[in-house]
Amino acid sequence: MRPRPRDAHRRGRRAARNRGLLAGSSLAGFIAALAAGAVSASPPRAATPSSTLPPTTSPSGTSTSTTPPSSTSPSTTAPSSTASPSTTTTTTTPPATRSAVGSTEQYGYGSIAADVTVQGGRIVAVTVSSLSTAESYSQSLAEQAIPVLKQEVLAAQSTQVNGVTGATYTSQAYLASIQSALDTLGP
Amino acid sequence: MMDGPPRMHVHVEPAMGTMVSIRAEAPALAWVDVEGAVGDACARIHALESDLTTWDSQSPMSRLRRGELGVSDAPEPVVRVLELCAEVRELSRGWFDPWSMRGGVDPTGLAKGWILEEAMAVLRTSGVASAVVNGGGDLCLLGTPPDDGRRWRVGVQHPWRPDSFAAVLSACGSVATSGTYARGLHLVDPRTRCAVPAAASATVVGPNLAVADGLATALAVGGDEVLECIERTCTYDGYLIRADGSEAATQGIEFVPALAEDARR
């Protein structure tokens, strides 16, 4: 493991202009894709939840825009789409693992499709089977958002946990701060 | 719109160099009011971030670090965060020390937690009954879980197996985790300014996320010594996974053993 490249914050400056573009819209699309995938599950096949995205432990830098998230309208998060696990309920015993690719959903700056694996009525894995964005920094933001969305979806329908704590999406600023200290120390 | 299952409002906001997710439930409020509360909470995050960021060279915090701005002239958020930093430095016996950072005082290890607490305060005063605000793996918890549990169940991400939990904790208030597994770095001992082999994962549970955030940073660097400091606070608890994979926790940590294996995914 090596320190992440430190150019991520440059993307973050530009991405800040689009603050919130993912927030409501892609979530709705993502969850809609989830729901579509869950209810139209294809015949059982071996679950191979493979990650189709690179690891996203490199968040963009702290943005400095002072404008409020005006375009961040959560209204697109339709009530019906807030991860209703009941639609995924199956009666298979023992629980079989099934997976399906959801419909491709537009979210304003691109499109996304989710691959969902269910087992015994629970979503056990979510991957993104396709993601396209108009511009590279949208891609960068989307790649950061997806693991968070995935976690939210799993947590929202989980009877096991209400949230996950960890150091995965660490503050880039803090990382850079530590890195600068290390830089002065040498190898 | 009062029929049907309780509706959870879910929102993800890019902020503070990470993703902040907000899940809020307020059966007594109209949907539009929950949306409004979440929007207000996000606006609060961005406003505070603009004061406290060290990425913008013209932010009040950056100017203070360069000595261009005195503490007495600094905006209230800067003053408050520095007070909390001093408090956690005391609690951790110097293991969390933003004043030892090169380039001037750097409260980043605590500021995110404080900002998330402030965002939660917006939700609370707006009438939201139950919420999780998760800023890159640091959680602020309001009320009780939407299912009938009395305490929140929080999975602690496994330091070496990304899709697994190391443990599931029963918690209320806040939970912060610091560790090096996500970035493969070593942390810096503020006393010697030398890189130290830090803990694999350091989790702190307690009433205030700002303090928990700072203590988790200290625990990641100071290990067992800081775990003793945390035990002495009586209000915070710590769960440490050492670099060699062995574990330790304060008395008050509540594991949910039966779930740990089942909840792994």
Side-chain angles (χ1 to χ4, degrees):
Chain A
M1 295 273 280
R2 301 173 57 202
R4 305 282 311 179
R6 295 188 51 205
D7 61 351
H9 66 282
R10 296 196 195 101
R11 290 200 309 271
R13 299 276 167 161
R14 286 182 298 150
R17 279 190 242 126
N18 280 326
R19 171 199 313 293
L21 67 88
L22 287 161
S25 50
S26 77
L27 180 59
F30 185 74
I31 293 179
L34 281 183
V39 296
S40 63
S42 56
R45 63 178 168 89
T48 53
S50 59
S51 176
T52 53
L53 288 167
T56 52
T57 53
S58 171
S60 62
T62 303
S63 59
T64 57
S65 167
T66 53
T67 53
S70 55
S71 67
T72 311
S73 112
S75 61
T76 49
T77 310
S80 61
S81 67
T82 42
S84 50
S86 57
T87 59
T88 70
T89 304
T90 61
T91 53
T92 42
T93 43
T97 302
R98 301 181 303 138
S99 67
V101 178
S103 59
T104 301
E105 296 286 329
Q106 305 297 320
Y107 65 91
Y109 289 81
S111 65
I112 188 170
D115 189 331
V116 181
T117 303
V118 297
Q119 183 175 35
R122 288 188 65 214
I123 299 173
V124 293
V126 183
T127 59
V128 170
S129 61
S130 80
L131 173 72
S132 71
T133 51
E135 295 166 85
S136 60
Y137 56 83
S138 297
Q139 178 90 18
S140 148
L141 266 183
E143 286 172 1
Q144 290 173 51
I146 284 162
V148 180
L149 296 171
K150 170 181 166 179
Q151 193 183 88
E152 290 303 329
V153 168
L154 291 171
Q157 57 98 59
S158 172
T159 57
Q160 306 290 353
V161 297
N162 308 114
V164 179
T165 184
T168 303
Y169 312 109
T170 44
S171 157
Q172 185 71 14
Y174 184 56
L175 165 61
S177 178
I178 291 169
Q179 185 63 61
S180 69
L182 287 175
D183 290 346
T184 68
L185 292 165
Chain B
M1 297 297 280
M2 299 302 288
D3 295 332
R7 292 179 301 169
M8 179 74 75
H9 190 101
V10 184
H11 179 84
V12 179
E13 182 82 1
M16 301 185 286
T18 186
M19 289 295 182
V20 177
S21 74
I22 298 175
R23 280 189 285 139
E25 191 186 45
L29 294 185
W31 184 252
V32 66
D33 292 331
V34 183
E35 284 179 353
V38 171
D40 290 348
C42 290
R44 179 81 173 139
I45 288 172
H46 294 303
L48 293 172
E49 181 185 359
S50 67
D51 276 344
L52 293 167
T53 181
T54 55
W55 278 96
D56 177 1
S57 63
Q58 294 309 308
S59 74
M61 182 56 81
S62 293
R63 294 178 55 221
L64 182 129
R65 300 179 75 202
R66 288 195 301 270
E68 296 169 14
L69 183 70
V71 175
S72 55
D73 298 322
E76 191 266 335
V78 173
V79 176
R80 183 66 193 126
V81 162
L82 290 177
E83 285 171 359
L84 283 163
C85 283
E87 198 177 303
V88 176
R89 180 171 63 175
E90 185 78 18
L91 287 175
S92 68
R93 298 199 170 178
W95 284 101
F96 176 78
D97 188 353
W99 286 270
S100 73
M101 301 301 279
R102 216 181 137 80
V105 57
D106 186 348
T108 310
L110 180 147
K112 184 175 74 171
W114 184 76
I115 291 173
L116 296 173
E117 280 284 349
E118 290 293 301
M120 186 62 100
V122 171
L123 296 179
R124 186 169 51 235
T125 55
S126 302
V128 170
S130 167
V132 180
V133 176
N134 186 339
D138 294 334
L139 281 76
C140 208
L141 308 165
L142 172 66
T144 55
D147 51 21
D148 48 14
R150 299 193 55 173
R151 286 164 66 86
W152 298 87
R153 292 180 304 276
V154 176
V156 179
Q157 193 182 326
H158 195 288
W160 298 293
R161 296 199 299 271
D163 289 336
S164 301
F165 296 140
V168 175
L169 306 181
S170 174
C172 55
S174 72
V175 186
T177 294
S178 186
T180 52
Y181 54 88
R183 49 201 182 223
L185 285 179
H186 285 193
L187 296 173
V188 178
D189 182 339
R191 297 173 180 181
T192 62
R193 301 204 178 188
C194 289
V196 294
S201 172
T203 299
V204 173
V205 181
N208 184 286
L209 184 56
V211 175
D213 206 2
L215 285 175
T217 306
L219 182 59
V221 182
D224 290 83
E225 195 179 322
V226 174
L227 206 57
E228 288 174 24
C229 297
I230 293 170
E231 188 83 86
R232 275 192 294 271
T233 66
C234 296
T235 43
Y236 289 85
D237 279 290
Y239 167 50
L240 171 70
I241 305 174
R242 302 186 189 93
D244 65 1
S246 62
E247 300 181 12
T250 58
Q251 297 286 325
I253 283 281
E254 280 188 46
F255 292 102
V256 190
L259 293 178
E261 199 61 42
D262 191 36
R264 284 173 182 170
R265 54 175 195 255

